[in-house]
Amino acid sequence: MPMNDQDIKRFSGVIPPVIIPLKGDRSLDREAFEKSINRMIDGGVTGLFFLGSSGEVVFLTDEQRLEVLETAIEIVKGRVPVLVGVIDMETMRVIEQAKRISDLPIDALVATAPFYALGGPHENERHFRQIREHTDLPLFAYDLPVSVHTKLDPEMLLRLGKDGVIQGVKDSSGDDVQFRWLVLENEDAGHPLQLLTGHEVVVDGALLGGADGSVPGLANIDPHAYVEQWNAAQAGDWKKVSKIQDHLARLMMMTRKVTATVGFGAGVGAFKTALWQMGVFNTNQMREPVQALQGEDVRSIVHVLRAEGMVPTDSMINFDWDC
């Protein structure tokens, strides 16, 4: 299904996967949500991705997904493109997610491979082709093997791009060799895909290799740095790109300081805790069954924030949730 090239090229630059603030009772915190979204848009991001893994999508009921999305659209007000995750276990459930939001003013859909009942290469390719049959929106394939246990084949992605099935890839595989090859082969094919890295720590290398942009969860914390890095890359100032990446890599170390939990609870948990300590969020509450970080984990995250100039060195730690 052919789409306007200029329309597709809007999906470049810095497109953070938006982290969702919650109140103590785990309901959506509209005030903090608006503050965070406006902060990123004011910081110069070129789009926002809602209902991704950073947005705790798999922890949400259909009603909660819709609430988050409708609230987000109301806050964004068309200022930047809105990408939306239609992430679910199998093809028909993904298509149902897409149909449920088909009347909303969104700009692109993002889907992973099916998960739980794992398929092979043929099933994965059919999955994306079936989604395309049910939407006219640009479609991004989300490569997230750590969560869905399937690495999307670069040759398949390129084939789907050439056929107009998908218009881009959000690569959070951590496989920088495969991503570099995909960038090269995409160029050789005439650039049918917009290629975005979700790998916060090595965005500099991805941009140098020809990526169209980044989708870094850490941009919720420091959107200005990622935007400045993108602008420097566009200007060919690779020394500045590298210097900014060093700051971002050190800031990302907050996720390594967490000892109470691992995986999602340590990653998104650290980001929520940082936003809470920076005064953007009102709590660092997580969706069930994940618990909010407390005690020494909070102290360690604040130490990283202070070291990287994200909070004053004499700032007080908010212990309202420290049990």
Side-chain angles (χ1 to χ4, degrees):
M1 185 177 297
M3 296 187 181
N4 184 282
D5 286 345
Q6 290 305 313
D7 191 53
I8 300 303
K9 288 178 180 177
R10 292 184 304 148
F11 304 109
S12 62
V14 181
I15 305 175
V18 180
I19 296 167
I20 310 302
L22 302 176
K23 297 178 181 179
D25 62 1
R26 291 187 165 87
S27 61
L28 177 65
D29 187 336
R30 164 68 190 248
E31 176 196 10
F33 200 26
E34 184 167 8
K35 182 186 298 184
S36 183
I37 288 172
N38 287 337
R39 179 173 175 267
M40 287 187 279
I41 293 175
D42 291 344
V45 302
T46 52
L48 292 169
F49 171 33
F50 295 95
L51 299 182
S53 51
S54 294
E56 300 169 290
V57 62
V58 295
F59 297 90
L60 303 179
T61 65
D62 289 345
E63 291 75 15
Q64 288 170 329
R65 290 189 188 200
L66 190 59
E67 179 192 15
V68 166
L69 184 53
E70 288 179 336
T71 304
I73 289 170
E74 183 181 341
I75 295 169
V76 173
K77 293 184 175 67
R79 288 176 288 171
V80 295
V82 169
L83 292 78
V84 181
V86 285
I87 296 166
D88 221 313
M89 291 184 292
E90 56 87 33
T91 305
M92 293 312 299
R93 290 174 66 92
V94 172
I95 290 170
E96 285 181 3
Q97 294 289 349
K99 288 181 176 179
R100 187 173 292 113
I101 61 177
S102 61
D103 292 333
L104 296 178
I106 60 180
D107 298 281
L109 300 177
V110 183
T112 67
F115 50 95
Y116 188 80
L118 301 181
H122 297 297
E123 290 79 12
N124 290 331
E125 182 164 345
R126 180 171 172 80
H127 172 70
F128 289 105
R129 291 187 183 275
Q130 285 296 305
I131 298 170
R132 168 51 60 216
E133 290 297 317
H134 292 84
T135 182
D136 293 327
L137 288 170
L139 175 62
F140 278 70
Y142 188 177
D143 197 4
L144 188 65
V146 69
S147 294
V148 306
H149 307 294
T150 298
K151 174 75 178 75
L152 296 179
D153 175 43
E155 291 185 6
M156 177 196 73
L157 293 170
L158 195 59
R159 185 165 56 248
L160 292 173
K162 290 177 179 178
D163 290 349
V165 175
I166 63 173
Q167 285 63 54
V169 177
K170 177 189 184 289
D171 186 285
S172 295
S173 67
D175 189 338
D176 296 320
V177 173
Q178 290 275 19
F179 184 73
R180 183 62 178 267
W181 283 338
L182 179 59
V183 169
L184 290 172
E185 291 168 351
N186 189 51
E187 285 304 306
D188 292 342
H191 208 108
L193 296 169
Q194 290 292 101
L195 301 179
L196 309 172
T197 179
H199 204 340
E200 286 99 340
V201 179
V202 291
V203 173
D204 55 346
L207 296 179
L208 181 61
D212 295 295
S214 62
V215 188
L218 191 65
N220 287 261
I221 313 302
D222 195 349
H224 304 276
Y226 278 106
V227 170
E228 188 178 8
Q229 182 186 54
W230 168 252
N231 291 337
Q234 296 303 104
D237 188 349
W238 296 105
K239 184 176 181 179
K240 184 174 183 179
V241 169
S242 178
K243 182 178 180 180
I244 293 170
Q245 188 64 70
D246 285 346
H247 156 69
L248 292 167
R250 292 182 185 280
L251 191 58
M252 187 67 176
M253 286 182 184
M254 71 173 70
T255 63
R256 297 172 55 195
K257 303 297 183 182
V258 176
T259 60
T261 186
V262 297
F264 181 84
V268 175
F271 291 163
K272 284 197 174 191
T273 299
L275 289 165
W276 171 47
Q277 292 297 318
M278 292 166 64
V280 180
F281 283 12
N282 296 311
T283 78
N284 64 341
Q285 183 63 281
M286 302 285 287
R287 296 282 181 183
E288 288 284 14
V290 186
Q291 296 297 300
L293 298 180
Q294 301 174 358
E296 192 57 38
D297 285 335
V298 177
R299 294 184 182 90
S300 296
I301 290 166
V302 170
H303 178 76
V304 173
L305 292 173
R306 286 173 176 165
E308 292 306 309
M310 301 305 297
V311 295
T313 56
D314 59 350
S315 63
M316 299 294 292
I317 297 175
N318 186 340
F319 284 118
D320 290 349
W321 281 70
D322 189 33
C323 298

